[in-house]
Amino acid sequence: MPKTKIKKIIGFIIAFAVAVILPHFVGGYLLYVLNVAIVYAIASFGMNILVGYTNQMSLGNGAFFGVGAYVVGILVYKLQWIPFLVALPVAGMVSAGFGFIIGLPSIRTKDIYLAIATLGFGLLFEQGITNWRSLTGGAQGMAVAKSVLSCGSLSFESDIGYYYFALVIAAALLIVGSNLMQGKFGRSFRAIKDSEIAAQAIGINVTKYKLIAFVVSAFFTGIAGAVYAPYISYLSAPMFSIFLAIALLTMAVIGGLGSILGSILGAVFVILTPEALRVVGLGEAQTFFYAVAMIIILIAFPSGVAGGVYSGLRKIGLLERN
Amino acid sequence: MLSQLIVSGIAIGALYGFLGLSIALIYKATDVFNFAQGEMVMVMTFFAYTTLVMWGLPYPIGLLITLCFAALFGFALERVIIRPVINAPPITIIMISLALFALFNYSARWIWFDETKNFPSPFSETPIDLLGVVLTPVNLGVIVIACLLGVGLYLFFKYTKIGLLMRATADDKFTARLVGINVGNVFSMTWVLASVLGAVTGFLLAPITFLGPQMMADPLLRALAGGVIGGFTNLPGVVIGGVILGILENLVGYYISSAFKGSLPFIVIIVFLFFRPTGLFGEKMEKKV
């Protein structure tokens, strides 16, 4: 076995051990924040599939997240048609369906026009939720009881229970995502990112893969929303506005575009920093803060903050050298 | 009723058009697509509110101070934040403009207030009967000012030296630089012009709608839809697109349903981008290899 691989396995074991015992050392509010960060890591990766891997802009991901959340709110809690665990893949698929429709303009346009189209979807979603009162509760929002967080006699209602549940879901999705990005999909995505015309020339069906990127991104983001809904126990349209899309974008940018570890670090950073600001009494300034952080990072460190972490990991051999 | 719907559609549509125009001006000249333009207008309108209501200045003086502030604001924004990334890939610039979007929105809530208020109007309330069509003075005033602005901008680009420099730079930055044009200065002037135009839009729009941090969310989407209809590479086309959308929206809202009215911009955007991405008047986009 090569030395780097052994180190990599050791790294995974350490990370796994830390992840398992962590909730027994941090408690209360910090654990809550950590749980939210885990959920957002999934959504941040979903954003990265579009922005980081295929270089496609999306301002509709906040709405994909909302679609997933409302699928749980409506089908599991309000109508009680399906149990929560069944709702997770359903939410992913409903969201993926929207991803397909929103991805259609990507066939003919990119950059600003794609941003406009996805922005339009984001705003339409907010309006739709507010207007469809009978199902969504309209502007008053809808409550989702935490009690739906269970599977048979197993309940994830407590913060620690939810922590392990979210961690398992996030780990499973990110491992699947990692394999997807290293396989045929990922290679095609990266080829499209580098140059659409070159990708076309070597026989990649650019149209198909750009659309697939939207569908996969919406799928991951929708599941994240579905996992999020019962934990936060209250849904309303403004939670899934364009500002959520910008927050997801910030996570992808700060963590580093086109990387899974970056998606996780970005989510942790963006979720934890406002809490840190709250501790020093600047809680109101959170959006202000990460907008400024994003501008500075885009100007000064185009490869993201995670770039520094990677070179550190490469030095101690936990990450293969490029 | 039909003529009333059309007239008020033209008025509000012209304002969408001018918001779209201020975006298109910058986009055409500098390749920067500023999603934060609407939020800039919002900040300008809050500033105007400060001068007119909080300080109680007379309307013309408040207007003048706000326009000066807008010019400075546009200039500083371009120099400090946009200039360093002017050669970055389009997606990076879009992300910066989105960060600015969030920054301006939350700053306004912080500096001013997070509620909706009425904005003073320079026009009277009594309706005017013009050839059998009942017009509100606001609508008439907006249409007149929009026409004057349109003609003014046309003359500016056609006959002034700055206008000529802007057109040359928009056509081909490389050649413009070769013939000795200071492209950086032209960029600054474009941002100043767009920012001032945005402030005027805010002055006209806020009395019709409202003043508040969310005041530009709907107009921005409609301005973008108007730009997609007309094609963002064609300046008059953007305004015409905005007017088309304004009229269409009023007709749909009255004759079909008001719920459908809200989703009209989105439907227009998706349909146009799928079938005619360059819009009605836009130039064909060429792919660079």
Side-chain angles (χ1 to χ4, degrees):
Chain A
M1 221 188 259
K3 218 175 170 187
T4 48
K5 195 153 191 190
I6 295 171
K7 280 188 179 170
K8 213 171 168 181
I9 290 170
I10 294 172
F12 268 123
I13 292 170
I14 293 171
F16 181 74
V18 170
V20 168
I21 57 168
L22 190 61
H24 298 284
F25 290 96
V26 299
Y29 188 64
L30 193 58
L31 187 56
Y32 165 83
V33 174
L34 202 61
N35 286 344
V36 173
I38 293 172
V39 176
Y40 273 107
I42 306 171
S44 161
F45 173 65
M47 189 61 154
N48 226 325
I49 292 173
L50 284 171
V51 181
Y53 286 93
T54 51
N55 211 11
Q56 298 195 89
M57 191 65 209
S58 172
L59 290 172
N61 277 40
F64 293 151
F65 194 85
V67 168
Y70 273 96
V71 164
V72 168
I74 293 168
L75 293 185
V76 178
Y77 181 66
K78 185 149 189 168
L79 303 174
Q80 302 195 329
W81 283 358
I82 47 176
F84 177 62
L85 285 187
V86 178
L88 292 184
V90 172
M93 279 182 293
V94 172
S95 180
F98 279 104
F100 179 80
I101 299 169
I102 305 320
L104 284 177
S106 76
I107 294 171
R108 302 214 36 190
T109 53
K110 53 192 270 186
D111 297 336
I112 61 155
Y113 287 102
L114 197 52
I116 293 172
T118 51
L119 172 74
F121 171 66
L123 295 175
L124 185 72
F125 173 78
E126 241 189 293
Q127 248 173 20
I129 292 295
T130 314
N131 289 334
W132 204 347
R133 244 171 250 121
S134 58
L135 216 51
T136 63
Q140 286 169 347
M142 86 189 286
V144 183
K146 266 193 178 174
S147 57
V148 303
L149 277 170
S150 67
C151 168
S153 57
L154 205 62
S155 164
F156 325 115
E157 262 182 79
S158 67
D159 281 337
I160 287 195
Y162 185 83
Y163 172 86
Y164 288 120
F165 167 71
L167 195 68
V168 167
I169 300 274
L173 284 174
L174 291 179
I175 288 168
V176 169
S178 161
N179 284 329
L180 270 182
M181 291 308 129
Q182 277 162 18
K184 193 182 168 202
F185 279 135
R187 285 197 304 274
S188 306
F189 287 166
R190 277 191 292 271
I192 292 170
K193 179 186 179 175
D194 288 341
S195 162
E196 278 183 31
I197 292 171
Q200 211 147 24
I202 56 169
I204 292 170
N205 187 339
V206 172
T207 311
K208 184 174 124 192
Y209 280 102
K210 280 169 87 173
L211 207 48
I212 287 177
F214 261 96
V215 172
V216 175
S217 169
F219 182 79
F220 277 92
T221 314
I223 292 185
V227 174
Y228 184 70
Y231 188 58
I232 227 71
S233 12
Y234 169 77
L235 306 178
S236 74
M239 287 162 65
F240 309 106
S241 68
I242 163 120
F243 294 109
L244 175 57
I246 295 178
L248 295 177
L249 194 61
T250 314
M251 293 173 194
V253 170
I254 289 184
L257 295 172
S259 111
I260 290 188
L261 184 59
S263 306
I264 301 169
L265 292 178
V268 171
F269 183 80
V270 169
I271 299 296
L272 284 185
T273 317
E275 303 308 328
L277 285 176
R278 194 165 292 159
V279 172
V280 293
L282 282 170
E284 294 298 303
Q286 46 171 296
T287 304
F288 185 87
F289 173 81
Y290 63 66
V292 171
M294 186 150 135
I295 293 169
I296 293 173
I297 285 165
L298 283 171
I299 293 177
F301 313 98
S303 66
V305 172
V309 179
Y310 298 141
S311 54
L313 286 178
R314 273 189 204 105
K315 260 187 202 134
I316 55 171
L318 286 180
L319 214 67
E320 279 147 53
R321 278 159 221 276
N322 292 358
Chain B
M1 195 63 216
L2 181 67
S3 53
Q4 250 114 308
L5 285 174
I6 291 178
V7 170
S8 71
I10 293 174
I12 192 89
L15 294 175
Y16 301 155
F18 277 106
L19 178 59
L21 180 64
S22 58
I23 295 173
L25 268 175
I26 295 175
Y27 179 53
K28 230 186 144 177
T30 69
D31 289 333
V32 171
F33 196 91
N34 184 18
F35 277 93
Q37 191 73 28
E39 300 309 290
M40 283 170 67
V41 172
M42 183 265 297
V43 169
M44 256 39 108
T45 316
F46 265 110
F47 186 87
Y49 182 84
T50 307
T51 63
L52 294 177
V53 178
M54 291 167 151
W55 297 347
L57 295 174
Y59 200 89
I61 297 176
L63 177 68
L64 197 69
I65 295 178
T66 306
L67 295 188
C68 291
F69 171 71
L72 265 175
F73 194 84
F75 180 82
L77 191 63
E78 196 273 335
R79 273 295 155 95
V80 178
I81 293 178
I82 304 299
R83 189 70 65 86
V85 290
I86 196 78
N87 292 319
I91 202 158
T92 305
I93 298 179
I94 293 172
M95 287 191 263
I96 293 223
S97 82
L98 289 169
L100 289 174
F101 187 111
L103 184 66
F104 292 154
N105 192 287
Y106 277 84
S107 302
R109 294 174 195 210
W110 213 8
I111 300 171
W112 288 284
F113 41 79
D114 190 5
E115 52 194 296
T116 58
K117 289 199 174 165
N118 290 326
F119 188 85
S121 167
F123 307 104
S124 77
E125 300 270 310
T126 34
I128 308 164
D129 197 318
L130 194 78
L131 303 170
V133 182
V134 183
L135 296 173
T136 55
V138 177
N139 284 342
L140 194 65
V142 167
I143 292 173
V144 170
I145 294 172
C147 289
L148 290 176
L149 266 179
V151 173
L153 281 172
Y154 175 79
L155 295 175
F156 171 79
F157 280 115
K158 190 94 185 176
Y159 295 109
T160 66
K161 194 182 169 199
I162 302 174
L164 183 68
L165 293 179
M166 283 183 180
R167 276 191 293 141
T169 311
D171 256 8
D172 188 339
K173 276 161 227 38
F174 185 71
T175 317
R177 207 169 262 132
L178 271 186
V179 297
I181 295 174
N182 187 336
V183 172
N185 282 351
V186 175
F187 284 3
S188 299
M189 284 185 287
T190 311
W191 275 82
V192 168
L193 179 65
S195 184
V196 170
L197 190 64
V200 174
T201 313
F203 261 95
L204 295 173
L205 186 67
I208 301 180
T209 56
F210 59 89
L211 169 76
Q214 299 302 351
M215 65 179 281
M216 294 312 288
D218 285 354
L220 176 69
L221 180 63
R222 281 149 186 81
L224 295 176
V228 170
I229 293 176
F232 268 106
T233 45
N234 184 308
L235 298 183
V238 172
V239 181
I240 296 170
V243 172
I244 293 175
L245 189 87
I247 298 173
L248 211 60
E249 197 180 44
N250 267 3
L251 295 181
V252 165
Y254 187 75
Y255 290 108
I256 301 176
S257 93
S258 61
F260 189 61
K261 182 182 172 181
S263 43
L264 184 72
F266 175 68
I267 293 165
V268 164
I269 288 172
I270 293 284
V271 169
F272 263 85
L273 288 187
F274 194 71
F275 292 106
R276 201 179 161 85
T278 53
L280 294 177
F281 314 106
E283 299 153 19
K284 192 155 172 48
M285 286 176 283
E286 280 163 26
K287 280 187 185 169
K288 284 176 199 152
V289 181

